[in-house]
């Protein structure tokens, strides 16, 4: 299997995330998988979507970023850094998005990667969304850590359901672009729980990666559930949190 790891953490060596990342790469390679990594901080990736991304413009009077993306694709004018990342995402069978949870979301450098690399008419748009997304046929998984304890991210916890916190990624980014989305791997409060707990997280993560092929994806409503008029509510029984595997 071809695995692409999109990794974002500002501490290159001494963080728990760095250790988790190293264990992940080692495990995947030991299982015979090919691994490619984009370490965004190490790369100095530019996360800012701007007019500088376009050497030619369809609408020079006003920046419409998504439409200029499509125009750049049509004219083979995407920036080289975006082309390089697109090549990785289309190369892979399995996509890992790894980051520490910042304000219930991703670090800015990672959000900017999606803004710039998930290009209109290639990854989404032009009939490409949800089950027809441009990246269909691939699997994806979020790998994250946070300072909260597990109970705090339960449905009745102070932080709310972790699946709600990650919904923007699971549904709005990964499933929207065609991925089958595996349940997230979350390391809760590794800094405060001590080395024994961290070692368990590392071992559990190795086990998860060894079972990619047999892990059931999360369940989302496909676009066809909403009918041809794209009503706001599906024509089937709503999925409850308990149904999200």
């Amino acid at each position: 299997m071809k695995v692409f790891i999109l990794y974002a953490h500002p501490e290159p060596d001494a963080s728990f995330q760095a250790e988790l990342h190293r264990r992940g790469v080692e495990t995947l390679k030991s299982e015979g998988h090919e691994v490619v990594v984009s370490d965004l901080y190490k790369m100095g990736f530019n996360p800012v979507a701007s007019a500088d991304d376009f050497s030619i413009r369809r609408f020079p009077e006003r920046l419409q970023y998504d439409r200029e993306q499509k125009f750049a694709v049509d004219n083979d004018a995407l920036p080289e850094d975006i082309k390089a990342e697109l090549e990785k995402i289309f190369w892979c069978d399995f996509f890992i998005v790894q980051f520490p949870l910042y304000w219930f979301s991703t670090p800015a450098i990672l959000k900017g990667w999606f803004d710039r690399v998930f290009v209109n008419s290639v990854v989404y748009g032009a009939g490409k969304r949800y089950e027809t997304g441009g990246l269909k046929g691939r699997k994806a998984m979020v790998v994250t850590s946070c300072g909260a304890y597990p109970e705090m991210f339960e449905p009745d916890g102070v932080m709310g359901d972790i699946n709600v916190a990650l919904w923007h990624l699971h549904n709005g980014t990964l499933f929207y672009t065609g991925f089958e989305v595996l349940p997230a791997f979350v390391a809760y409060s590794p800094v405060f729980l001590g080395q024994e707990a961290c070692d368990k997280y590392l071992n559990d993560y190795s086990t998860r990666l060894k079972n990619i092929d047999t892990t059931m994806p999360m369940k989302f409503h496909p676009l066809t559930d909403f009918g041809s008029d794209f009503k706001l509510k599906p024509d089937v029984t709503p999925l409850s949190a308990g149904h999200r595997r």
Side-chain angles (χ1 to χ4, degrees):
M1 183 182 293
K2 299 172 181 176
V3 183
F4 174 34
I5 301 176
L6 181 63
Y7 176 64
H9 196 287
E11 167 51 51
D13 300 310
S15 67
F16 171 76
Q17 276 281 352
E19 193 171 1
L20 192 69
H21 174 59
R22 287 191 290 269
R23 176 66 69 89
V25 172
E26 290 169 2
T27 299
L28 289 165
K29 288 184 175 179
S30 71
E31 292 292 303
H33 303 303
E34 298 179 65
V35 181
V36 167
V37 176
S38 281
D39 183 335
L40 297 184
Y41 284 95
K42 184 177 181 179
M43 293 162 58
F45 182 81
N46 173 22
V48 180
S50 72
D52 291 340
D53 287 337
F54 308 111
S55 57
I56 56 174
R57 293 276 295 274
R58 181 182 178 188
F59 302 104
E61 69 282 358
R62 178 168 64 91
L63 179 61
Q64 301 175 63
Y65 192 85
D66 59 334
R67 299 181 77 183
E68 295 296 353
Q69 284 184 319
K70 187 177 186 300
F71 187 69
V73 170
D74 292 341
N75 291 275
D76 191 25
L78 287 173
E80 291 303 315
D81 62 340
I82 293 178
K83 286 183 179 180
E85 297 305 294
L86 280 172
E87 184 176 341
K88 297 172 191 175
I89 200 72
F90 278 98
W91 166 84
C92 78
D93 305 301
F94 184 50
F95 180 41
I96 294 174
V97 186
Q98 183 177 350
F99 58 94
L101 198 66
Y102 284 4
W103 292 106
F104 292 77
S105 186
T106 69
I109 196 170
L110 180 57
K111 176 59 168 65
W113 187 94
F114 284 113
D115 291 346
R116 296 185 67 224
V117 175
F118 273 22
V119 172
N120 185 15
S121 79
V122 176
V123 170
Y124 76 99
K128 300 183 178 78
R129 56 180 170 176
Y130 296 114
E131 65 268 31
T132 61
L135 296 171
K136 66 182 179 180
R138 298 166 175 82
K139 295 180 180 181
M141 182 173 74
V142 168
V143 177
T144 190
S145 60
C146 61
Y149 293 104
E151 297 80 9
M152 298 169 72
F153 264 115
E154 291 179 355
D156 60 349
V158 66
M159 303 292 186
D161 190 341
I162 188 64
N163 289 303
V164 175
L166 296 176
W167 179 256
H168 64 104
L169 275 175
H170 282 159
N171 181 75
T173 304
L174 298 173
F175 181 62
Y176 187 85
T177 55
F179 284 104
E180 288 186 32
V181 184
L182 303 189
F185 182 88
V186 184
Y188 295 95
S189 197
V191 173
F192 302 111
L193 291 180
Q195 190 59 49
E196 184 177 350
C198 289
D199 290 343
K200 186 178 186 306
Y201 279 132
L202 294 172
N203 292 332
D204 289 348
Y205 185 44
S206 290
T207 300
R208 279 289 303 272
L209 293 177
K210 291 175 182 178
N211 291 285
I212 295 168
D213 291 332
T214 57
T215 302
M216 291 294 294
M218 301 174 72
K219 180 68 175 178
F220 300 94
H221 281 297
L223 198 61
T224 51
D225 280 355
F226 293 85
S228 59
D229 55 356
F230 303 119
K231 291 188 295 183
L232 295 177
K233 297 181 180 179
D235 294 325
V236 296
T237 302
L239 297 167
S240 70
H243 290 141
R244 291 198 298 269
R245 297 188 296 273

